[in-house]
Amino acid sequence: MNPPRGEGAQSATAVTALLNSPLCQRSAAAPHPRARRRLPSSRRSSPRVVVVVAVVVGRAPVRAPYQVASSSFVVRQIRGDATASEIFRSTTNAILMAVTVNLESVVARLEAVAARLEKQGVGVGVGAGAVAAPPAPAPAPAPAPGEIPPSVASYDALLSGALKTMTSAASPLGAEITDAVKLFEDAFAKLRDVLAVVAACKRPTDVDALQTLIAPVGERMMKLAATTEGRRTDAFNHLKVIAESVQCLAFVAYQGPDMGMSLPMPHVAEAWQSAEFYANKILVEHKGEGKDPAHAAFVKAMKQLVLTDFKGYVKEFHATGPGWNPRGVDVKDFKVEKVAKRAGGPPPPPPPPPPGTLGLNKPGAPPPPPPPPPPGLLTTPKPESGMNAVFKELNKGEAITSGLRKVTDDMKTKNRADRSGLVGDAPAAGAAAATKPATAAAAPATKAPKLSLEGKKWAVENHVGNKTIELNDVNPKQTVYVYNCRDCVIKINGKANAVTMDACAKSAIVFDDVLATCEIINCASVQVQCMGTVPTVAIDKVDGCQVYLGEKSWSAEVTTAKCSEVNVTCVPAEGSAEEATETAIPEQFVTRRGEDGKWRTVPMGH
């Protein structure tokens, strides 16, 4: 410990001299300090010893933390006949009192010094070896108009690189997948506008402002999710990969751990995990010789985009959430057009001067036009809307009905000729003509008919009044799907794996053999005839169905659910003397509890 200096040194010298003075010295006849006997009564009246305790402090550098900037003296009087232990105890108490008195002032001064050092950006250390901490990095200022922030520039490189590669890989996979990829690309483009706002603006405190900002991205994500709904096609797995992968863009909605959402990087990884389930199905389906390698290239490009490039971008700029700019402007005051789409190029030229300003200095030139009126003079104030308008109207009191029109006698229902309440013989010609356009507008638009072999599935869709539809050379590896046909007859030549009739009306299917099952779903007034064999006929939600089974398929199982007017006819072989037998499928059932406590259901008998 360094010796005290300055004022502290002088105070120490004074105290030492005072303690060595005869006033503070005990007499030579005093017993040993450890002797615990009291002095004679003749000496009890001797002068009391004055013990001076000094807390020595001096103005020393910061490297001596035990020194402070003031001096304190505590003086106690001790009886002259006190023992050494009493003197030691009294001296110790005096020292503690001195330390306590000065402790609060010392702490206050140290806190003031620490506050000044923190304002100056200097770290506060303990002892002589304390090292100043480096100042915290200042947040990046808002980008100047036309300047591209680093986060947006890096995202532009991702759009022109990995995203472009993925769209090129998806181009040979068909129109349905290409349309979904365009939506996917559009969602990434809308995210670019959001990232430009994030780089230039402060975090919005209003939740509505944030929702409005990311709404365009959310709309594209919902449209991609809608492409996977409804009837499944051969491109279903590809559409699911696209719809699940686009969920990675939702990281911009992250506002903290309390919202139940993962951090941006884990969120991107979770989005690809959902998409990878369907991506593996694509790889398995298109694996082997003779398969199109474009499907595997599409999956590889999508994985590279989401799991590698996009995740790396999020890790660099938005690892703990969207990187809002603390020194930026408010979201409502920022326009995306301020951030250029591409870097480079000279700034745009200034706008031309208004007409007439070039000839102001010429003699005889006409005076310049007057300035435009202030905004608001030519604009009509918008009427109030919402609850404010409702309360304003209610506050009018009785005057609220002043704007209502008076109902005259000719406007009353009892005096109107067209509301007499009598039913006429026939509707007027004008009324009939007026209802026709409305009926035509309400009718749904018919889709184009379709008859094609898509991979291993025959698709017969949207035919109306076509009774000559015929499918030839159908093999056991192929299925037949008939959808939304009206007043049609479909003939299937060959042995199909399965036949499905969905949402058809007044139509018929004739087939030779079916390997698995024949399904009729959501149909009305349809007929199905099997010329060969069929193991099972499943009928679900059908109103009116006639099933004709050839002699080879009389042992077939017929299952029904939510059906009515279903009949099964067993047709004998050609040239047989037997007659066709028609059997109605029960629609009503009776359930009774038996003596053994079990419930049994049987068709109702008539």
Side-chain angles (χ1 to χ4, degrees):
M1 181 179 296
N2 295 329
R5 300 178 181 178
E7 179 184 355
Q10 297 175 5
S11 300
T13 305
V15 172
T16 303
L18 182 61
L19 293 176
N20 293 330
S21 65
L23 181 64
C24 296
Q25 297 294 329
R26 296 182 60 88
S27 62
H32 193 272
R34 295 183 180 180
R36 294 184 174 273
R37 68 181 182 87
R38 303 189 65 83
L39 298 176
S41 59
S42 59
R43 300 180 60 182
R44 291 179 183 176
S45 59
S46 60
R48 295 183 178 181
V49 179
V50 179
V51 179
V52 181
V53 181
V55 178
V56 182
V57 284
R59 292 184 178 88
V62 181
R63 58 189 178 86
Y66 60 86
Q67 296 178 357
V68 292
S70 64
S71 300
S72 300
F73 294 91
V74 178
V75 179
R76 289 179 58 89
Q77 291 184 354
I78 303 177
R79 298 188 313 274
D81 58 349
T83 63
S85 61
E86 292 176 347
I87 296 175
F88 176 77
R89 184 165 53 253
S90 299
T91 306
T92 304
N93 293 337
I95 294 174
L96 292 177
M97 187 190 311
V99 173
T100 304
V101 169
N102 288 274
L103 183 61
E104 295 182 358
S105 61
V106 171
V107 172
R109 291 178 61 85
L110 289 177
E111 290 180 351
V113 172
R116 289 196 301 269
L117 293 178
E118 289 177 355
K119 290 182 180 180
Q120 297 175 2
V122 180
V124 180
V126 178
V131 181
E147 180 183 355
I148 301 182
S151 60
V152 181
S154 179
Y155 187 77
D156 289 340
L158 185 144
L159 296 182
S160 59
L163 181 63
K164 193 70 174 178
T165 303
M166 190 276 298
T167 54
S168 301
S171 57
L173 300 182
E176 189 174 4
I177 300 176
T178 304
D179 294 341
V181 169
K182 289 181 180 178
L183 276 176
F184 185 87
E185 190 175 9
D186 193 19
F188 269 74
K190 293 299 180 183
L191 181 66
R192 198 259 186 199
D193 297 339
V194 177
L195 295 178
V197 176
V198 169
C201 301
K202 296 181 290 186
R203 181 190 299 273
T205 57
D206 187 6
V207 180
D208 295 337
L210 179 62
Q211 292 179 351
T212 304
L213 176 64
I214 63 179
V217 181
E219 292 175 0
R220 273 68 180 179
M221 294 169 63
M222 294 177 61
K223 289 181 179 179
L224 285 172
T227 59
T228 63
E229 300 176 356
R231 188 172 56 87
R232 295 190 177 186
T233 62
D234 292 340
F236 174 77
N237 291 331
H238 299 74
L239 298 180
K240 288 294 291 185
V241 169
I242 298 172
E244 295 295 339
S245 298
V246 79
Q247 299 297 323
C248 66
L249 306 185
F251 82 91
V252 292
Y254 181 81
Q255 293 295 310
D258 297 336
M259 65 179 304
M261 179 179 175
S262 302
L263 286 168
M265 284 183 57
H267 176 77
V268 174
E270 291 169 3
W272 175 249
Q273 288 175 3
S274 300
E276 192 174 18
F277 175 79
Y278 300 96
N280 291 337
K281 287 188 175 183
I282 297 175
L283 296 177
V284 172
E285 182 180 359
H286 299 278
K287 181 181 180 181
E289 298 182 359
K291 301 294 183 178
D292 189 0
H295 299 273
F298 163 75
V299 172
K300 182 179 179 181
M302 181 66 77
K303 183 176 181 180
Q304 176 70 23
L305 169 63
V306 177
L307 195 59
T308 303
D309 293 8
F310 189 77
K311 184 179 178 182
Y313 166 78
V314 171
K315 179 180 179 181
E316 182 178 359
F317 296 100
H318 311 283
T320 58
W324 298 94
N325 193 334
R327 294 187 177 182
V329 299
D330 292 336
V331 174
K332 60 182 179 181
D333 299 332
F334 181 80
K335 294 183 179 179
V336 181
E337 289 77 7
K338 292 183 179 181
V339 181
K341 291 295 182 181
R342 287 182 297 271
T357 57
L358 298 179
L360 290 179
N361 297 329
K362 294 181 181 180
L377 296 181
L378 300 180
T379 58
T380 305
K382 297 182 179 179
E384 295 185 7
S385 60
M387 295 305 298
N388 292 334
V390 175
F391 288 120
K392 186 176 180 181
E393 293 293 331
L394 293 177
N395 291 333
K396 291 182 178 179
E398 296 181 356
I400 193 173
T401 60
S402 60
L404 300 178
R405 295 185 303 170
K406 181 176 178 58
V407 180
T408 59
D409 291 339
D410 59 334
M411 299 172 62
K412 296 180 180 179
T413 303
K414 62 180 182 179
N415 298 329
R416 293 177 59 179
D418 57 341
R419 299 290 181 89
S420 61
L422 300 177
V423 181
D425 296 337
T435 57
K436 288 183 179 180
T439 305
T446 58
K447 297 182 180 180
K450 180 180 180 181
L451 175 60
S452 62
L453 177 60
E454 300 175 351
K456 298 179 181 180
K457 181 181 72 174
W458 286 92
V460 183
E461 301 177 3
N462 307 319
H463 287 268
V464 178
N466 189 354
K467 300 181 182 298
T468 59
I469 302 175
E470 189 171 356
L471 307 180
N472 297 317
D473 300 330
V474 179
N475 59 60
K477 294 184 179 181
Q478 298 174 349
T479 60
V480 179
Y481 184 79
V482 182
Y483 174 76
N484 193 28
C485 292
R486 301 288 187 274
D487 195 19
C488 298
V489 177
I490 300 96
K491 179 68 170 65
I492 302 173
N493 299 321
K495 187 174 184 178
N497 184 277
V499 175
T500 303
M501 193 176 190
D502 187 5
C504 298
K506 298 181 180 180
S507 299
I509 292 182
V510 181
F511 57 85
D512 293 339
D513 298 284
V514 170
L515 186 62
T517 181
C518 174
E519 293 181 295
I520 300 97
I521 308 170
N522 298 322
C523 296
S525 302
V526 295
Q527 299 179 7
V528 178
Q529 182 175 0
C530 176
M531 306 298 293
T533 59
V534 58
T536 304
V537 179
I539 307 172
D540 189 6
K541 297 180 182 180
V542 176
D543 295 330
C545 178
Q546 190 72 30
V547 180
Y548 298 95
L549 300 178
E551 187 175 3
K552 296 181 180 180
S553 58
W554 285 358
S555 60
E557 294 182 356
V558 180
T559 61
T560 59
K562 298 182 180 181
C563 298
S564 62
E565 302 178 18
V566 178
N567 298 320
V568 179
T569 302
C570 294
V571 182
E574 186 176 357
S576 175
E578 298 181 5
E579 295 182 357
T581 304
E582 183 177 3
T583 304
I585 301 298
E587 302 176 18
Q588 296 179 339
F589 301 88
V590 177
T591 303
R592 292 188 180 92
R593 186 175 185 272
E595 296 179 355
D596 56 353
K598 296 182 179 180
W599 291 86
R600 292 178 176 83
T601 302
V602 296
M604 177 178 288
H606 296 283

